Amino acid sequence: LPLFDSIAYSKYPEHNFVYDKLYIAKTQNLKCGLLKDIEFDNIQYPIFIKPRYGHKTETSKNCFKIKNKGQVKKYIKYHDMMWSEYIKDKESMTDFILLNGNIVYQITYDYSQSTNGFVDEYKFISIDNKPPEKVVSWVNNNLKGYTGVVNAQYKGDKIIEVGLRLGKTGSYIKSTQDNALLRNINNVIDHNYWD
């Protein structure tokens, strides 16, 4: 089971397109584009800028909410950056387990409303937490035939990032102390089987 995006990107060449955040935005009809091609006067601020490729970056490095044209110009020289419309909704994430393109399990983490800087103060894990239907549909439509784990981060029902690994290298899943779940995740990866 890959712990990091760079390893997952290499391990799953048929599905590693999910690391292109511009692709993610375009498949949801978000206003977006390459930062180097931005038309400063033809977009509505605020916007959000970030590195385009998720497997080449770490955490939230070079991610910025931009309020005006002057702020954009400070970052225009950054390589492989993209912009998208700013999404005000609360952030959440879901780890999906897929077997041959079918979701066999999901665990959704509900983020705290309060933050410490950019970081939420806690994540609430419960079997009752469910991802938005649009997120589930996106995973079903874009990961046909995939077997493995998928971490989707989203604001409201708009996906902002996808990785072919578990959130926080699996520490949230481990924290459930659910041995049957851990065994089944390993069964999917090692034996193509879910019980």
Side-chain angles (χ1 to χ4, degrees):
L1 197 65
L3 298 180
F4 302 103
D5 290 315
S6 58
I7 296 166
Y9 181 88
S10 297
K11 182 173 180 166
Y12 302 110
E14 291 181 23
H15 295 93
N16 66 15
F17 59 86
V18 301
Y19 285 103
D20 183 348
K21 296 176 199 172
L22 187 56
Y23 170 84
I24 301 291
K26 285 181 175 181
T27 59
Q28 300 172 96
N29 297 315
L30 294 175
K31 294 175 186 145
C32 61
L34 294 173
L35 191 59
K36 67 182 179 114
D37 299 333
I38 198 164
E39 295 179 16
F40 297 104
D41 298 320
N42 293 332
I43 59 171
Q44 184 176 351
Y45 296 94
I47 60 171
F48 198 75
I49 65 171
K50 58 188 173 183
R52 178 178 178 178
Y53 299 106
H55 65 291
K56 294 182 178 181
T57 58
E58 53 198 50
T59 61
S60 297
K61 186 177 179 183
N62 294 330
C63 296
F64 305 102
K65 178 182 177 182
I66 303 295
K67 297 177 183 172
N68 57 52
K69 176 169 65 172
Q71 287 182 327
V72 174
K73 289 183 177 180
K74 291 191 314 190
Y75 302 104
I76 206 77
K77 65 183 182 282
Y78 283 43
H79 184 64
D80 282 338
M81 294 286 283
M82 62 162 285
W83 70 272
S84 70
E85 62 186 80
Y86 182 74
I87 304 165
K88 293 180 185 177
D89 290 323
K90 182 179 151 194
E91 188 170 340
S92 293
M93 93 175 147
T94 298
D95 281 328
F96 293 96
I97 315 302
L98 275 74
L99 179 61
N100 300 319
N102 298 305
I103 298 170
V104 293
Y105 192 82
Q106 67 81 26
I107 186 165
T108 296
Y109 311 99
D110 190 18
Y111 289 33
S112 61
Q113 289 287 350
S114 52
T115 60
N116 186 0
F118 286 110
V119 180
D120 50 289
E121 291 186 353
Y122 66 84
K123 288 180 180 62
F124 177 67
I125 301 171
S126 169
I127 197 157
D128 296 326
N129 294 351
K130 304 289 183 224
E133 189 53 45
K134 283 186 178 179
V135 172
V136 173
S137 293
W138 190 95
V139 170
N140 282 329
N141 292 331
N142 288 275
L143 289 162
K144 294 181 186 328
Y146 175 75
T147 294
V149 297
V150 176
N151 176 265
Q153 297 174 42
Y154 44 90
K155 287 187 156 208
D157 63 0
K158 306 277 191 298
I159 298 172
I160 56 174
E161 190 169 335
V162 176
L164 302 177
R165 44 90 186 138
L166 294 170
K168 286 286 192 208
T169 66
S171 59
Y172 298 134
I173 295 268
K174 289 179 199 167
S175 74
T176 67
Q177 298 180 16
D178 185 335
N179 290 329
L181 173 59
L182 296 172
R183 236 183 348 267
N184 267 316
I185 292 171
N186 285 307
N187 282 338
V188 166
I189 302 303
D190 295 337
H191 306 294
N192 212 37
Y193 171 75
W194 177 267
D195 181 2

